[in-house]
């Protein structure tokens, strides 16, 4: 029985199809007592491959009964290709509802249309099963032209919402970029204080005198505050252009320094100018510290004198040399470079902080390993989060959800085997890929009273896996029950596989599910990497999706 396991190294060929089953509800009036009769019939018991037969269900019920007809692929092994609208015929105080379906089959053989479930009110009725024979179409090749097989048409993959996430990401990046530009890189309008600070010392001193004129110190007899501002203006100007300790020096120290600079011919300031400055500064000291009273008019005269002395100081100062001008230019360039470097550092720090905050946030919500694998890339993550496919494979059908559609392959069977069994096999991946899924259905002919030994079949399957290159196979067995109640045998454990090309040894898990009913053996084989949490989630999801259906329901 190991011939059904030769699929482990076969390449995928044919894409399986996906089907779903749903019910259409037809509400006639409101619920009441049910008194109905159900009939079913077909217009022909023999058809050719692909020919349509009409399956008809007749229901006789009261006008206010709720009737639910079957819809979808509930006629398997025949395929429903069309569902017609319900015809309603009134007979006295009852209604006769007629529902028709178009069915077909593309493989020759004898088939049984299973019983169909009809719900009328709160009661369930079943139709009779019907036999149908599908015959081959006889083609006279001497008259019928033969043509090349048409090429495979690639089916477009279902679109995803990736573009929404892309737009959201671009929007977030745009908002962050705008905020960083607005608060860091944008040349902001200068405030009044900044504009004043950029003025030359002479212009700042003149502007300060104008603002002093606009103050209300003299109007409110605030002589002390007035002289404090006035002397600060002249001291600040002298500090920047003449003596760099003018602000912190006493009046005597400052006047002494000015006299020394004059005698050293470092500043061409007259003795009268120095005496005027000394007189005003000492008067200010008396006002500030001795609370001496000064007439308002005298204060105005002192203000004008300071204005004139500022001009005299400017005229007395030597013109800056080219070297000094160059040093000033280099200083401004260095200041700009420092500001630019500061902006770059702030931008990098904010960017790193946002990346770390994003990583930590997603890590706390989804797990750090998951976030890391999503960013770097992980095959199991892509399978887990991809578009899963739920489909039926083989007959009797095995319903299963998988990350990828399983492709049908044809196994090379000897003529003797073909006379004994009928096989259908669907697979994704191979044993060498570590992650693989296989669904195999084997129907045995002429079984007689013999029954399938499921444990022996499990042993044969393990031998087949071993023949494919697996070794160190650890075996455990347990009972397995599908979500819809089908019981089978679960063989599972670990194995090792050596890649013949790379010579790399891979260790993985395997699960072998086997179900036997009369002359049918259904097998599901899965292999997946060891210590891979995403692969384990995939396997759990697959196991929870498995449903088995009998040949006739």
């Amino acid at each position: 029985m190991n011939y059904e396991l030769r699929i482990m190294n076969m390449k995928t060929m044919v894409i399986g199809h996906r089907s779903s089953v749903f019910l259409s509800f037809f509400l006639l009036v409101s619920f009441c007592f049910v008194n109905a009769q159900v009939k079913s019939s077909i217009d022909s018991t023999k058809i050719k491959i692909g020919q349509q037969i009409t399956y008809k269900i007749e229901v006789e019920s009261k006008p206010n009964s709720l009737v639910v007809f079957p819809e979808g692929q509930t006629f398997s092994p025949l395929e429903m290709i069309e569902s017609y609208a319900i015809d309603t015929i009134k007979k006295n105080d009852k209604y006769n509802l007629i529902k028709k379906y178009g069915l077909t089959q593309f493989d020759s053989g004898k088939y049984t249309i299973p019983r169909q479930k009809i719900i009328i009110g709160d009661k369930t009725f079943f139709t009779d099963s019907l036999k149908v024979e599908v015959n081959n179409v006889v083609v006279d090749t001497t008259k019928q032209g033969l043509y090349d097989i048409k090429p495979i048409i690639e089916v477009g993959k279902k679109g995803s919402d990736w573009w929404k996430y892309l737009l959201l990401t671009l929007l977030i990046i745009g908002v962050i970029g705008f905020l960083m530009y607005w608060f860091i890189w944008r040349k902001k309008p200068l405030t009044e204080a900044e504009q004043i600070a950029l003025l030359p010392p002479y212009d700042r001193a003149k502007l300060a005198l104008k603002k002093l004129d606009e103050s209300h110190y003299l109007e409110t007899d605030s002589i002390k505050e007035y002289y404090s501002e006035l002397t600060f203006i002249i001291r600040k100007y002298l500090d920047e252009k003449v003596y760099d300790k003018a602000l912190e020096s006493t009046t005597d120290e400052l006047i002494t320094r000015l006299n020394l600079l004059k005698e050293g011919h470092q500043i061409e300031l007259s003795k009268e100018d120095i005496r005027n400055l000394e007189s005003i500064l000492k008067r200010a000291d008396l006002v500030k510290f001795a609370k001496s009273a000064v007439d308002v008019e005298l204060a105005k005269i002192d203000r004008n004198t300071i204005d004139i002395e500022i001009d005299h100081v400017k005229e007395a100062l030597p013109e800056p040399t080219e070297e000094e001008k160059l040093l000033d230019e280099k200083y401004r360039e260095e200041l700009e470079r420092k500001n630019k470097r500061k902006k770059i550092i702030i931008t990098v720090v904010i960017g790193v902080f946002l990346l770390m905050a994003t990583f930590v946030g997603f890590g706390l919500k989804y797990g750090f390993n998951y976030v890391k694998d999503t960013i770097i890339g992980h095959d199991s993550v892509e399978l887990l989060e991809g578009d899963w496919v739920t489909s039926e494979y083989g007959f009797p059908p095995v319903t299963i959800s998988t990350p990828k559609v399983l492709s049908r392959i044809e196994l090379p069977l000897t003529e003797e085997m073909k006379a004994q069994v009928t096989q259908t096999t669907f697979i994704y991946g191979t044993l060498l890929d570590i992650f693989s899924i296989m669904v195999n259905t084997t129907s045995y002919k002429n079984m007689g009273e013999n029954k399938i030994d499921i444990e022996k079949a499990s042993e044969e399957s393990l031998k087949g896996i071993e023949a494919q290159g697996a070794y160190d196979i650890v075996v455990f067995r347990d009972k397995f029950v599908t979500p819809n109640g089908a019981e089978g045998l679960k063989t599972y454990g670990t194995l090792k596989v050596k890649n013949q090309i790379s010579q790399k040894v891979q260790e993985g898990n395997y699960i072998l599910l086997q179900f036997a009913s009369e002359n049918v053996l259904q097998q599901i084989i899965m292999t997946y990497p060891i210590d891979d949490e995403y692969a384990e989630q995939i396997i759990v999801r697959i196991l929870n999706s498995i449903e088995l259906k009998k040949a006739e329901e």
Side-chain angles (χ1 to χ4, degrees):
M1 294 178 61
N2 62 350
Y3 50 82
E4 68 267 24
L5 295 161
R6 298 178 183 175
I7 49 82
M8 284 299 179
N9 59 351
M10 299 297 290
K11 295 183 178 180
T12 58
M13 296 172 61
V14 183
I15 298 177
H17 70 279
R18 183 180 180 179
S19 63
S20 62
V21 180
F22 59 92
L23 295 177
S24 298
F25 293 90
F26 299 94
L27 180 61
L28 299 180
V29 188
S30 60
F31 176 82
C32 73
F33 297 103
V34 177
N35 183 14
Q37 184 177 0
V38 178
K39 297 180 186 178
S40 64
S41 62
I42 52 177
D43 61 350
S44 177
T45 58
K46 292 185 179 182
I47 60 171
K48 295 179 180 179
I49 290 178
Q51 184 179 350
Q52 177 179 315
I53 61 173
T54 301
Y55 183 93
K56 182 169 68 175
I57 299 176
E58 296 183 53
V59 175
E60 186 179 274
S61 65
K62 288 191 174 183
N64 51 357
S65 297
L66 175 67
V67 181
V68 180
F69 287 97
E71 282 293 343
Q73 303 299 339
T74 63
F75 303 92
S76 181
L78 269 70
E79 181 179 346
M80 189 194 76
I81 56 178
E82 189 169 2
S83 176
Y84 298 96
I86 300 173
D87 292 331
T88 305
I89 302 174
K90 185 175 182 181
K91 289 185 177 180
N92 299 326
D93 59 340
K94 294 184 179 180
Y95 280 105
N96 189 25
L97 305 179
I98 301 174
K99 175 69 174 176
K100 295 181 180 180
Y101 303 88
L103 310 179
T104 191
Q105 173 57 252
F106 297 97
D107 290 323
S108 61
K110 294 181 179 180
Y111 300 94
T112 300
I113 302 176
R115 297 187 304 159
Q116 299 299 308
K117 183 168 66 174
I118 313 296
I119 299 175
I120 305 174
D122 59 351
K123 294 186 178 180
T124 301
F125 297 84
F126 288 92
T127 65
D128 294 332
S129 58
L130 300 173
K131 301 287 186 180
V132 178
E133 184 177 347
V134 180
N135 299 314
N136 285 318
V137 178
V138 180
V139 179
D140 188 351
T141 56
T142 60
K143 297 180 180 179
Q144 176 66 42
L146 300 178
Y147 305 95
D148 291 336
I149 298 174
K150 292 183 178 180
I152 296 175
I153 300 175
E154 188 173 337
V155 178
K157 186 179 179 181
K158 180 183 177 182
S160 62
D161 293 336
W162 64 268
W163 61 273
K164 294 182 180 178
Y165 297 105
L166 177 61
L167 288 178
L168 180 60
T169 302
L170 293 177
L171 178 62
I172 294 174
I173 293 175
V175 170
I176 294 174
F178 173 77
L179 292 175
M180 294 181 71
Y181 163 77
W182 185 262
F183 291 104
I184 299 175
W185 290 93
R186 178 177 64 95
K187 291 185 177 180
K188 306 174 185 66
L190 297 177
T191 63
E192 183 180 1
E194 290 173 334
Q195 291 176 353
I196 294 174
L198 292 175
L199 293 174
Y202 174 79
D203 294 333
R204 281 205 308 275
K206 288 290 188 178
L207 182 60
L209 287 174
K210 288 182 180 180
K211 288 188 174 293
L212 182 61
D213 294 338
E214 296 171 358
S215 68
H216 301 285
Y217 292 141
L218 297 180
E219 297 175 6
T220 58
D221 293 330
S222 301
I223 300 299
K224 179 180 178 181
E225 288 78 6
Y226 185 84
Y227 270 96
S228 294
E229 289 287 338
L230 183 62
T231 55
F232 178 80
I233 292 171
I234 186 60
R235 281 177 176 272
K236 178 69 174 176
Y237 181 62
L238 292 173
D239 185 84
E240 291 181 318
K241 301 301 294 182
V242 179
Y243 177 46
D244 59 0
K245 294 184 179 180
L247 285 173
E248 59 192 61
S249 300
T250 64
T251 299
D252 291 337
E253 290 172 345
L254 178 58
I255 297 302
T256 301
R257 173 60 66 175
L258 290 177
N259 285 320
L260 289 174
L261 292 174
K262 173 180 171 52
E263 292 173 1
H265 303 289
Q266 296 182 17
I267 181 172
E268 298 298 329
L269 197 63
S270 67
K271 290 184 178 181
E272 183 181 358
D273 290 328
I274 295 175
R275 282 197 299 269
N276 290 337
L277 290 174
E278 182 180 10
S279 175
I280 294 173
L281 291 173
K282 287 186 176 181
R283 188 178 298 118
D285 290 341
L286 292 173
V287 171
K288 290 188 290 182
F289 303 114
K291 298 182 181 180
S292 176
V294 176
D295 186 67
V296 172
E297 293 301 323
L298 180 58
K300 291 181 179 179
I301 293 172
D302 287 343
R303 181 263 178 219
N304 292 331
T305 302
I306 291 296
D307 192 3
I308 294 171
E309 294 304 329
I310 289 174
D311 291 336
H312 289 174
V313 172
K314 179 183 179 185
E315 294 170 359
L317 292 172
E319 289 292 329
T321 63
E322 291 297 327
E323 185 178 354
E324 290 175 338
K325 292 179 180 179
L326 183 61
L327 289 174
D328 289 342
E329 183 65 26
K330 288 183 178 179
Y331 173 77
R332 285 193 293 270
E333 291 178 356
E334 181 64 23
L335 189 61
E336 290 180 359
R337 282 196 294 269
K338 286 182 178 179
N339 289 334
K340 186 177 181 180
R341 185 162 56 247
K342 181 180 179 182
K343 291 179 179 179
I344 293 174
I345 293 174
I346 293 174
T347 302
V348 172
V349 170
I350 292 176
V352 172
F353 172 76
L354 290 175
L355 288 176
M356 293 297 295
T358 302
F359 180 80
V360 172
F362 281 107
L364 291 174
K365 184 174 183 180
Y366 301 106
F368 291 99
N369 288 334
Y370 174 80
V371 176
K372 175 179 65 67
D373 293 335
T374 301
I375 296 173
I376 299 175
H378 196 290
D379 293 340
S380 297
V381 173
E382 296 176 5
L383 289 174
L384 180 63
E385 296 184 344
D387 295 328
W388 282 53
V389 178
T390 301
S391 188
E392 294 181 350
Y393 299 95
F395 182 78
V398 176
T399 301
I400 188 172
S401 295
T402 55
K404 299 289 184 179
V405 66
L406 306 186
S407 300
R408 182 168 182 168
I409 64 172
E410 296 292 339
L411 298 180
L413 300 178
T414 64
E415 293 299 326
E416 181 181 357
M417 290 181 178
K418 290 180 180 179
Q420 296 176 357
V421 299
T422 301
Q423 268 193 351
T424 56
T425 305
F426 301 85
I427 191 171
Y428 168 76
T430 67
L431 185 64
L432 295 179
D433 298 328
I434 284 296
F435 190 88
S436 64
I437 308 168
M438 185 272 288
V439 177
N440 174 266
T441 303
T442 304
S443 299
Y444 297 90
K445 304 175 182 178
N446 304 320
M447 285 285 292
E449 296 181 356
N450 297 326
K451 293 184 179 179
I452 297 174
D453 188 338
I454 197 168
E455 291 193 5
K456 184 177 180 181
S458 173
E459 291 291 341
E460 294 295 329
S461 297
L462 292 176
K463 291 180 181 179
I465 294 176
E466 193 173 14
Q468 300 303 315
Y471 63 96
D472 289 349
I473 301 176
V474 178
V475 181
F476 299 96
R477 287 190 173 89
D478 201 353
K479 179 181 178 181
F480 182 80
V481 180
T482 66
N484 68 334
E487 296 185 3
L489 177 65
K490 177 182 179 181
T491 306
Y492 60 99
T494 60
L495 52 76
K496 293 181 181 179
V497 179
K498 186 175 183 180
N499 192 304
Q500 299 301 321
I501 299 176
S502 65
Q503 299 299 311
K504 181 180 178 182
V505 176
Q506 296 173 300
E507 187 174 2
N509 299 300
Y510 74 91
I511 295 178
L512 169 61
L513 303 178
Q514 292 176 309
F515 305 88
S517 60
E518 297 181 357
N519 64 329
V520 176
L521 175 64
Q522 295 168 297
Q523 297 185 107
I524 301 171
I525 303 177
M526 295 173 285
T527 59
Y528 58 99
I530 201 167
D531 296 330
D532 188 333
E533 58 178 319
Y534 311 114
E536 291 175 359
Q537 294 179 38
I538 293 173
I539 296 301
V540 170
R541 184 171 173 181
I542 292 174
L543 292 175
N544 291 334
S545 71
I546 297 173
E547 291 187 3
L548 271 61
K549 296 182 180 179
K550 298 180 180 179
E552 292 185 12
E553 284 190 328

